[in-house]
Amino acid sequence: MISQFYILSSRGDVIIRKDYLGDVPRTSSETFFRNSKFWKEGDGEAPPVFNVDGVTYLHIKEGGVQLVATTRSNLSPSFVLEFLKRICTIVKDYCGFLSEDAIRKNVVLIYELLDEVVDYGFPQSTATEALKQFVVNEPTVVAPAFYQAKPLFSLSKGPTGVFKSVLDTARTDGKRRDEIFVDVVERITCTFNASGYIASAQVDGAVQIKSYLAGNPPIKIKLNDDLLIGRRDTPYGMLGAERDARAAERGAMVVLDDCNFHEVANLDSFDVDRTISLVPPDGEFALMNYRTSHGLKPPFRLHTSVEADPHSEYKALLTLRLWCEVPADKAASGLEVEVPTPRWVQRVHCDLEGGASGAAAGGRAAAAAAAAAAQQQNWDFNEKTHLLRWRFKRCPGGSEFTLRARLTLERPYGASLRSEVGPVNLRFTIPMYSASRIMLKYLQILKKAEKNYNPYRWVRYVTTSNSYTFRT
Amino acid sequence: MSDGKYFSTTKRGEIHELKEELRSLDRPKKKDAVKKVIAAMTVGKDVSMLFPDVVNCMQTDDLELKKLVYLYLINYAKTQPDLAIMAVNTFVKDSQDPNPLIRALAVRTMGCIRVDKITEYLCDPLQRCLKDDDPYVRKTAAICVAKLYDINPELVEDRGFLDMLREMLSDANPMVVANALAALQEIQELAGGGGKDLLQMTTQTLNKLLAALNECTEWGQVFILDSLAAYDTRDPRDAEKIAERVLPRLQHVNSAVVLSAVKVILRCMDVVALGPGGGEETIKAWSKKMAPPLVTLLASEPEVQYVALRNINLIVQRRPAILANEVKVFFCKYNDPLYVKMEKLEIMIRLASDKNIDQVLLELKEYAQEVDVDFVRKSVRAIGRCAVALERATERCINVLLELIQTKVSYVVQEAIIVIKDIFRRYPNQYESIIATLCDNLDSLDEPEAKSSMVWIIGEYAERIDNADELLEAFLETFPEETAMVQLQLLTATVKLFLKKPTESAQKMISAVLSCATTETDNPDLRDRAYIYWRLLSTDPEAAKDVVLAEKPVIADDSSTLDPSLLEQLVSRHLATVAAVYHRPPETFVSRQRMAVTRAEELGSRKFEEEDGATPGALVSDNNAAAAAGAAAAAAASSIGDLLDLSDASPVPVPPAAAGGGGGAATTAPAAARGLDDLLGGLDLGPTTTTSTSMPAAPAGSSADPFAALSAPTGATPGALGMSPGALSQLPVLLANPGGVSVQGRLVRQGAQPVYQLALRNDTPAPVDGLMIQTNRNSFGLSPASQVLVLATPGGAAIPPGGVTAVRVPLLVDPSKVTPPPLSTALQVALRTNQVGVLYFNDTVSLSALTEEGGTMEAADFLAAWKALPPEASARLPLAVPSAEVAKQRLAAANLFVLAHRQVPATGQDAIYATCRISAGGVGQLLLELKFVAGAGGVDVSVKAERQDCAQLVFDGLPAVLLGAA
């Protein structure tokens, strides 16, 4: 089983250390840090599972810290990695947030938690709900330093903006607030080929719940009626699959390729009316994970063109046109377009235009609109990495933008430049938008005793890019 | 309230202040103080001196305070075992507390205190808690059995805890079932692979486990699934029953559950395939159900993805049908980490088929134009491997490669040329039309592999390349500076060119190359190859053609294909384990063993340093590179397995790796633990019976009566060793163990038998007794005449604290304990004590301990034998020997009989011819020639013997003899 567990800061200091079996030396944390920092095979990252001198090291990185487990046995690595992930979740549930600071401020609590969740290297009950009855220390809730100035793309999977310990529900001092968050979080992976067609597309989504309801009342959730779970609902065979694909393309159905559910989900009526009832345990968990590759409407399209500059053979013109195709009432809250350019591109100068109106000829109003649009976007070019970046603070649905770049070249223009620019990569976050069109029709809290019981219910959607690439 | 503040005090007298606070009657203050202590402990400060004060806080009904104290205890009990005993009474009391939380806490913590003494107090509470009403206590107690087993396995078996664990498998609470199962699996692992099956899986247990599967926590599900996978059934109906229950687990959120479920189902498939009709329909249906969950794993975090991909790599090799239509999901994402991308590429190549090759090629071409050089190179190679694997797609692959060459990116071009060479070897005489394109890119070649590939192509197709001679000539300009790889290719290519087109310029080139390669190089491979060509060309050009232009075997893509038997083993036994990630059998990296009690701290400092030395080079996840090393390590592990194995008479082959294994007995392998068990089991039988079984064939020269060695305490005094206490301490240190038991010793020959002279030092605070000794199987079959050590101390049985005791251990030669060749001088010894567990140490068998009295022979026989025997092994030993006369005396003292001594006329060397006989291990008669080089300070030793492998024994042992140290 697991011989040791430790949490390392980004500098390699041990913040938390537990030794379970005593068969791995204490210095293993240094061995680990050295090997993970300077992985011998090229400059890539160390793989999550590696072996040095008979000790297997398994590690994940989250919240700026590394969680590491060591072992000498032949156990299941996914078992350990999943377990490390779970420890992150527990820390987040208790301390509101996972960071070096949060851990340092809660050392004793975390040791107590660890004693409950691991015994002699064996994971025990790791449900936050179950832990509550055994753990007596109180957490110091830490909100991240960058709470206000949160980077645009740090949102990966979890619900956003809630830095609150699960223990808050047990408070009786009036500060308690009953609330429940249900988040539909989706990550898009999409690749467009050089002619602008989708080469592959997939959405990985999760329905995440974070409950702060006192007394853990049961809840009921309903999803789209037109939801089809591909290989589950239709018996195996091409006929069914083809039918689904066609239905999804017409926009009639939301077809999922595969999905799985948390063990608390009661799916008795799911096949009848797409409702799931459950007693949400404390803490954050994914009620449902799903993926789909059917009928995705890409939120962004992009067209790239590279042309020779008629005036100088050491110059080239790069034009990017971007269309934001989400509904007009939605907007991407952050968008970053990355264009790698070959090494022989020396300098770049860009002109930005576009926005909802587009800069028409002349006139003060148009100039003001252009200025406003320019404020929403900016660009920079890194001469070391040869990366051209085009950033938007906000990118409303239905808008169109253009970037015209003049590239200064080291050698005369050649046709190969066209294939050497790119692939263009987009990163974005679109709140209140689900790419798969999965919807939460309602969220019921079934608490009969109190009539006026009406806790806060937050249903949120967010779609982020996982890998969104345009090939050139 | 933040824990951060506990770190802030750095004032002097901090410890004193804490002491005061710990003694405070104010509870919050006390609690704060303990928190401060724990905070100090976590940043590495030594707060062990507060032990008594902290332990005093233990008797409280405040759960939080109690937990804090327990936390502290676990950390320091190892270093302060005597103080930990102080806390035992409270533990025992707490284990009967009305609060189940406290009962569980007590039992959990007691088990973590790895002090042998605590076990006797632990047993009763543990027995009670295993039968507790509260499931929380029961599940904690179940794990505690595994902890106890690690400290004292006999106790666990004697008290029937294993039976209790097995009973717990039918507990009503699934958590208890899971933990009982986990504990049994752990004990099984500690006991070693060859141990008896602890789980004793019956249909009944199987049903219980299947029933518990649905209700367990996810971690428990993995334990259950793993035990199902280990369950050996031959009945297809059984397999179907298992699979039906396991299939729903594929929908689980936890990737570990999914992978373990996949493992079980794959196992079941193998069994079903044995059934009527090969179970085709069933297998097909299950395969279909497995694909979507496997694909879903790729949506998780990169870490989990990586593990999944390594497993999928194995699955697609074993059962390609499962994911045959899913190649698209393995396409790399822009932001995948490199380690994920590399694994995806591997799987893409495996899944590439005539149906999807166009799609795959399009992707690979894109990757080949990305920024990351390693990834680009691997992508280009992937295209080549697809071409080699799929005949019908070769042309398309080549077209992609040609397009890539057009990009003129240097590393892309070079990589493309390397794979095109492979394609030419796979499909000879089909695609030469592209050679012209390749020749346009000669300038960009600067890497040896690419260069030699290009040169090979030119040589192989010299007759079709008009200007082949010019091209080669250009390469030859830099011939002396090239790496060996390129030089060899250039040499061969030039010869090919000459044979195919014997023009004048070719003739000039070949003579230039041959003379350069034979006279100006110091690379023997190159020189030898040049000479062979030269001789071939000068004697028989036709023969040269037959040799050099012979048809070459067609290659296949096997660059990352696993050996079928290894694949079979990995898929059916080790899927979803670390072994499946490394693609190596677990024996090559698993190094678990049962820890001897209270040694954990020393282990950190001592044992692992040894291991570091013994296994240089990290075992990385790269399967190809490590495979060879892995095999050797596996073999080493198996040889350790027979350590101290008294009962098993079948010899286990010892590969050379064991001889060099500096880690020796103390290293690795669950098998070692098994041997250990056998040792202890054997010892329990009592000395009398053990001795009689261990020396069934005592050789002549040693006591004929096996009991004589026992009854006569010959080595009872230091005087018996023939040395003063001062000299005693001069013995080589075999095991330095400050604060524990240290061993010094030497193997000598006394009274016509090998004898171990040992000096044992006890640095522990208590007397050490119950000493027993055993050796591992070794090349000479050396084993102690008596396992029980009779000490020279007045008490007879114990070493007092701080005392040094000498022991004389006569060794016998037991043919049943001889390991097969090759010979190794390594000797692994285990010393058992009642107090500090089993100590292991390594020694080497010295030559002078083995050479027999009367092992001489006639000079004439010597001469005849010298001529008849196979060639000798020679070595120069850097020894300063005063004179040949002194050497002769010393040799004679060590039973090395000098037969002749002469001066080699011209050189002024002294040559001595000597012989000796070693019957131990069947070594036989050894013939030695020693040449003393005057002034050079060295001895040239040549050894001849029936067995070639015993020369090293002489080389190792002679220095001690010649220097008079023996």
Side-chain angles (χ1 to χ4, degrees), chain B residues 546-790:
Chain B
D546 289 345
V547 172
V548 180
L549 305 180
E551 210 163 290
K552 280 162 281 295
V554 167
I555 60 164
D557 174 31
D558 53 1
S559 44
S560 58
T561 305
L562 294 172
D563 174 64
S565 66
L566 176 61
L567 176 67
E568 178 63 37
Q569 188 197 356
L570 287 177
V571 173
S572 62
R573 302 229 79 96
H574 304 301
L575 204 74
T577 68
V578 176
V581 171
Y582 297 156
H583 290 185
R584 282 166 35 205
E587 305 85 76
T588 61
F589 60 87
V590 168
S591 49
R592 263 313 279 292
Q593 57 156 348
R594 206 174 65 79
M595 291 287 120
V597 187
T598 70
R599 288 199 307 148
E601 290 306 307
E602 303 139 38
L603 280 169
S605 58
R606 179 182 55 78
K607 201 179 126 261
F608 292 102
E609 280 163 17
E610 284 174 18
E611 276 190 8
D612 284 357
T615 52
L619 303 175
V620 294
S621 54
D622 178 12
N623 44 337
N624 291 337
S638 76
S639 80
I640 293 163
D642 64 335
L643 170 67
L644 314 175
D645 199 340
L646 295 172
S647 49
D648 184 5
S650 66
V652 176
V654 177
T667 43
T668 66
R674 175 175 64 94
L676 178 62
D677 274 354
D678 288 349
L679 162 69
L680 299 172
L683 291 175
D684 284 342
L685 296 173
T688 319
T689 48
T690 315
T691 318
S692 56
T693 56
S694 70
M695 38 179 288
S702 70
S703 167
D705 175 11
F707 299 97
L710 254 186
S711 51
T714 39
T717 61
L721 290 185
M723 49 178 70
S724 65
L728 211 57
S729 61
Q730 299 291 310
L731 288 169
V733 177
L734 296 172
L735 183 72
N737 213 346
V741 171
S742 304
V743 183
Q744 291 170 282
R746 176 188 292 147
L747 198 57
V748 298
R749 193 166 184 88
Q750 282 181 353
Q753 72 182 122
V755 170
Y756 227 135
Q757 294 179 331
L758 291 177
L760 309 175
R761 169 185 293 279
N762 175 13
D763 290 329
T764 66
V768 169
D769 60 7
L771 293 153
M772 299 189 188
I773 194 167
Q774 184 56 289
T775 56
N776 194 0
R777 290 163 178 277
N778 53 72
S779 288
F780 308 101
L782 295 177
S783 65
S786 156
Q787 293 181 346
V788 179
L789 292 185
V790 185

Side-chain angles (χ1 to χ4, degrees), chain A residues 51 72 116 140 258 260 466, chain B residues 1 136 251 296 335 591 619:
Chain A
N51 189 319
R72 282 182 180 272
E116 282 306 328
T140 308
D258 187 34
N260 56 40
N466 181 15
Chain B
M1 188 169 58
Y136 182 72
Q251 301 295 327
T296 301
N335 54 345
S591 49
L619 303 175

Side-chain angles (χ1 to χ4, degrees), chain A residues 209-224:
Chain A
I209 297 184
K210 201 166 185 178
S211 161
Y212 299 95
L213 298 177
N216 299 82
I219 63 169
K220 196 170 174 186
I221 284 172
K222 180 173 163 63
L223 301 174
N224 313 32

Side-chain angles (χ1 to χ4, degrees), chain B residues 76-215:
Chain B
Y76 278 113
K78 271 179 251 163
T79 48
Q80 311 262 340
D82 293 318
L83 291 172
I85 295 297
M86 285 172 31
V88 158
N89 282 334
T90 323
F91 281 133
V92 175
K93 213 173 100 209
D94 280 356
S95 73
Q96 285 161 298
D97 196 280
N99 184 345
L101 248 59
I102 293 184
R103 291 202 296 275
L105 191 62
V107 136
R108 186 170 76 200
T109 313
M110 270 177 104
C112 292
I113 299 175
R114 305 160 62 81
V115 179
D116 200 19
K117 278 185 215 161
I118 211 164
T119 52
E120 45 196 288
Y121 301 96
L122 179 57
C123 283
D124 289 328
L126 181 56
Q127 195 132 28
R128 262 199 312 276
C129 288
L130 282 167
K131 298 260 179 219
D132 201 286
D133 291 335
D134 193 291
Y136 182 72
V137 181
R138 287 202 302 275
K139 70 142 188 147
T140 312
I143 294 288
C144 192
V145 175
K147 298 177 187 170
L148 181 61
Y149 188 89
D150 196 13
I151 307 172
N152 194 337
E154 296 89 354
L155 205 55
V156 170
E157 283 172 32
D158 293 350
R159 299 288 295 240
F161 286 142
L162 292 179
D163 293 328
M164 289 176 86
L165 277 184
R166 278 191 283 267
E167 277 167 38
M168 286 169 102
L169 292 178
S170 39
D171 198 288
N173 184 299
M175 268 301 276
V176 178
V177 177
N179 273 8
L181 186 62
L184 281 170
Q185 284 172 350
E186 175 78 4
I187 292 171
Q188 179 89 64
E189 193 189 328
L190 286 170
K196 46 191 181 279
D197 178 22
L198 290 175
L199 196 52
Q200 297 169 2
M201 182 83 97
T202 58
T203 323
Q204 211 182 354
T205 19
L206 182 70
N207 287 335
K208 281 182 218 153
L209 291 180
L210 286 174
L213 185 59
N214 287 331
E215 293 149 42

